[in-house]
Amino acid sequence: MAEEEGPTVELRQRKKPKSSENTESAKEEKIKDTPVPERAPKYVLFQRFAKFFIGCLAAATSGMMYALYLSAYHERKFWFSSRQELEREITFQGDSAIYYSYYKDMLKAPSFERGVYELTHNNRTVSLKTINAVQQMSLYPELIASVLYQATGSNEIIEPVYFYIGIVFGLQGIYVTALFVTSWLMSGTWLAGMLTVAWFIINRVDTTRIDYSIPLRENWALPYFACQVAALTGYLKSNLNTYTERFCYLLMSASTYTFMMMWEYSHYLLFLQAISLFLLDSFSLEQSDKVHEVYKIYIFSLFLGYLLQFENPALLVSPLLSLVAALILVKCLQLNVKKGTFVGKLMKVINFYLVCTLTVTFNIIMKMFVPHKENGYMLKFLEVKFGLNMTKNFTMNWLLCQESLQAPSQDFFLRLTQSSLLPFYILVLIICFFSMVQIIFRRINGKSMKETVSLEDGRIGGRPEIIYHVIHTILLGSLAMVIEGLKYLWTPYVCMLAAFGVCSPELWITLFKWLRLRTVHPILLALILSMAVPTIIGFSLWKEFFPRLMTELSELQEFYDPDTVELMTWIKRQAPVAAVFAGSPQLMGAIKLCTGWMVTSLPLYNDDDLLKRNENIYQIYSKRSAEDIYKILTSYKANYLIVEDAICNEVGTLRGCRVKDLLDIANGHVVCEEGDKLTYSKYGRFCHEVKINYSPYVNYFTRVYWNRSYFVYKINTVISFQS
């Protein structure tokens, strides 16, 4: 097997300009002397253009069809167009209701500047609290959507809610198109893009949360991240022309910054990407300059985001900034030593150690000098999650009980296996990983590598973009195996990587090289399999899953919640405008959206004060006295209390994860043995006792409205407390 020429050989050639010039001139003369058919360049150019045009058309069509599919499915699921405005708004659950409510507020504002000011100095949402809603809730999507709605004159054509969800569905179409392009760039065929889209849509339950909650920040942000990954994939490819490389760089810069502005947790995902690029830089010698250009994009995006996000300190104490600063500093300190020598290998190890040490050091220093309110619940959650600590804290245990924060269920892996995605992903990942490891060991041993790798070489693990994607998918997959909610970050790239692999002749040749296949020509068989395997997969998916997708669109569903509609109607008609409502955070979000009334808490979990408020308001479902509950509610200036029957009488399979059980554990009101003590509460559960209407509950609370699901109590003005 022919050995490849590495960077070492290239450096030696530069030291001999005469021989280099002679070689180049000889090559030029040889090219000039070689007869070239006249029609060949035109034919090749036309073939490339046709392939590019068909691929772009397929990518754009896939994105548009997926956006239309989401719109049609949403209409069928909620019967959206035939609903009244209040019934439509109730479909926005939890934190989604908060995001959409601020979009409505922006449209009602007399001017854009006034609307932004009211959001940044918001004291009409949470009682006794003024918040910068734009910074705290990352409301830039709502600001942009409101500007577009009014600037384009859409207020005369389409209702605000349709414009809002239409933008999100359009972004999901861009998401799918970006995944298509990424797979296409890696495999060289747009057939891989089509297979990526098919797997993505079939596994929609595990690839996106658009079905459950449209305005989530990740639904706005991840399409931009997908565009960034597509641009990065193209940027890392070898033998790019100047214009293509510049286009990829500009697209990557714009999408990185936009992604960071759209989602408060975006810098953590970019941190994982930076780790992947750092490892790529350590293993691959050719792309070092390109990787450091990406680091500059991170720095620029972080500081520009810091300024435009009202000097958000979370970006300064971000691990991404610490890592990139360490990488750039180590790059500046790096000595020019020959690659492949013992000193060169030793310097690689020292550089790796320095990067890890400096990253931790910089992060500690930044947290010491930059005042920040970084959510400490994340570290505490991880400690309890991995069994390093125990806690009775209500908020911590409540988070641990959330399905999205638990380990993936067997159903998740079963669904991926039934769609044939998981088996092919594992196959592709194993081949790419071992090929990558093989080439890394060759470089460590000082073996030279040739600059251009042909198809018959079968070294798919030597391509920089492949190394990046392998490392990145392993990092994301490791996190998804611990926390199920992170599967929405990992599974789309599982679709992309699996589709790229089965459609790539280079991957099949790599496998045949290992198997030492001699009966059939490896290249011919690889070309056949790269066409036949995805075609067979596509037909099987079409036969099994296409009827299911059509059934989803043909079935009329209905979101029927008359109790909540009646409650919101009563509040708008009977409650005073200045009234403050208390209840579960999820219900408070709906009240803020549907009525505009002030509430005591919100379904947001990135603020310590709001988390404490949520825990205190949830005490209405605990075994506390009427006086205790009254003191808690009046401390937040609440005028009305809403008790939800679904929480009070909750019956769940996980008994220890019910709200009332978690409250009893936190308050010490359960019968539990601690040494020789038995603790219990002398009071009954408040949400039950208050319904009976006897003293002392009637002295503090007066029932003013009820239906099958909700009980509304007016909080009385009491001069003296009774025991």
Side-chain angles (χ1 to χ4, degrees), residues 108-126:
K108 293 176 183 176
S111 65
F112 177 76
E113 293 78 8
R114 183 62 186 174
V116 172
Y117 179 82
E118 289 179 354
L119 290 185
T120 53
H121 302 78
N122 188 280
N123 58 1
R124 298 180 181 179
T125 300
V126 183

Side-chain angles (χ1 to χ4, degrees), residues 36-304:
V36 180
E38 294 182 4
R39 299 182 64 181
K42 293 181 180 180
Y43 172 76
V44 171
L45 185 63
F46 175 78
Q47 190 178 30
R48 289 177 180 174
F49 175 77
K51 182 181 177 182
F52 178 76
F53 177 77
I54 294 173
C56 290
L57 184 63
T61 304
S62 298
M64 291 176 60
M65 293 299 292
Y66 180 62
L68 293 173
Y69 166 77
L70 288 177
S71 179
Y73 178 74
H74 180 262
E75 171 63 28
R76 292 286 183 174
K77 182 178 179 180
F78 295 109
W79 211 0
F80 209 68
S81 60
S82 60
R83 293 292 184 186
Q84 298 297 322
E85 183 180 4
L86 179 59
E87 293 174 317
R88 291 176 184 171
E89 291 177 350
I90 288 174
T91 62
F92 294 99
Q93 301 288 315
D95 50 351
S96 297
I98 300 298
Y99 298 132
Y100 182 69
S101 71
Y102 286 124
Y103 168 71
K104 283 179 58 181
D105 292 344
M106 281 298 299
L107 295 181
K108 293 176 183 176
S111 65
F112 177 76
E113 293 78 8
R114 183 62 186 174
V116 172
Y117 179 82
E118 289 179 354
L119 290 185
T120 53
H121 302 78
N122 188 280
N123 58 1
R124 298 180 181 179
T125 300
V126 183
S127 60
L128 303 179
K129 189 176 178 68
T130 299
I131 59 176
N132 184 342
V134 178
Q135 177 186 349
Q136 190 165 345
M137 303 177 197
S138 301
L139 295 181
Y140 293 96
E142 282 66 35
L143 298 182
I144 296 171
S146 62
V147 169
L148 290 176
Y149 183 71
Q150 294 175 332
T152 57
S154 300
N155 51 345
E156 299 177 359
I157 305 171
I158 189 173
E159 296 180 52
V161 64
Y162 282 110
F163 186 83
Y164 184 82
I165 64 176
I167 292 178
V168 183
F169 291 155
L171 285 174
Q172 298 308 300
I174 294 174
Y175 192 0
V176 164
T177 300
L179 292 173
F180 183 110
V181 171
T182 306
S183 189
W184 180 15
L185 286 171
M186 293 173 67
S187 64
T189 171
W190 52 264
L191 190 62
M194 297 293 290
L195 188 56
T196 300
V197 174
W199 266 327
F200 182 91
I201 296 175
I202 288 168
N203 295 280
R204 195 179 72 255
V205 177
D206 300 305
T207 55
T208 176
R209 286 202 287 182
I210 193 73
D211 286 0
Y212 310 110
S213 191
I214 294 174
L216 284 180
R217 301 300 85 181
E218 63 193 64
N219 291 336
W220 286 89
L222 290 180
Y224 295 102
F225 182 66
C227 292
Q228 191 254 18
V229 170
L232 178 61
T233 303
Y235 185 68
L236 291 176
K237 285 175 72 71
S238 304
N239 304 321
L240 277 184
N241 62 58
T242 306
Y243 295 106
T244 306
E245 186 174 307
R246 190 174 300 171
F247 172 76
C248 290
Y249 183 82
L250 292 175
L251 177 59
M252 187 168 42
S253 303
S255 53
T256 301
Y257 172 69
T258 309
F259 173 59
M260 194 170 291
M261 295 293 289
M262 291 290 175
W263 194 21
E264 59 185 320
Y265 299 118
S266 58
H267 57 92
Y268 291 111
L269 189 53
L270 291 174
F271 172 65
L272 292 179
Q273 187 183 73
I275 293 176
S276 305
L277 292 173
F278 165 55
L279 295 176
L280 166 65
D281 188 21
S282 302
F283 299 147
S284 179
L285 305 178
E286 295 87 355
Q287 302 295 322
S288 181
D289 293 337
K290 287 186 177 182
V291 169
H292 282 270
E293 288 298 320
V294 180
Y295 295 156
K296 294 177 184 178
I297 293 176
Y298 291 148
I299 292 287
F300 174 77
S301 300
L302 279 168
F303 281 106
L304 188 60

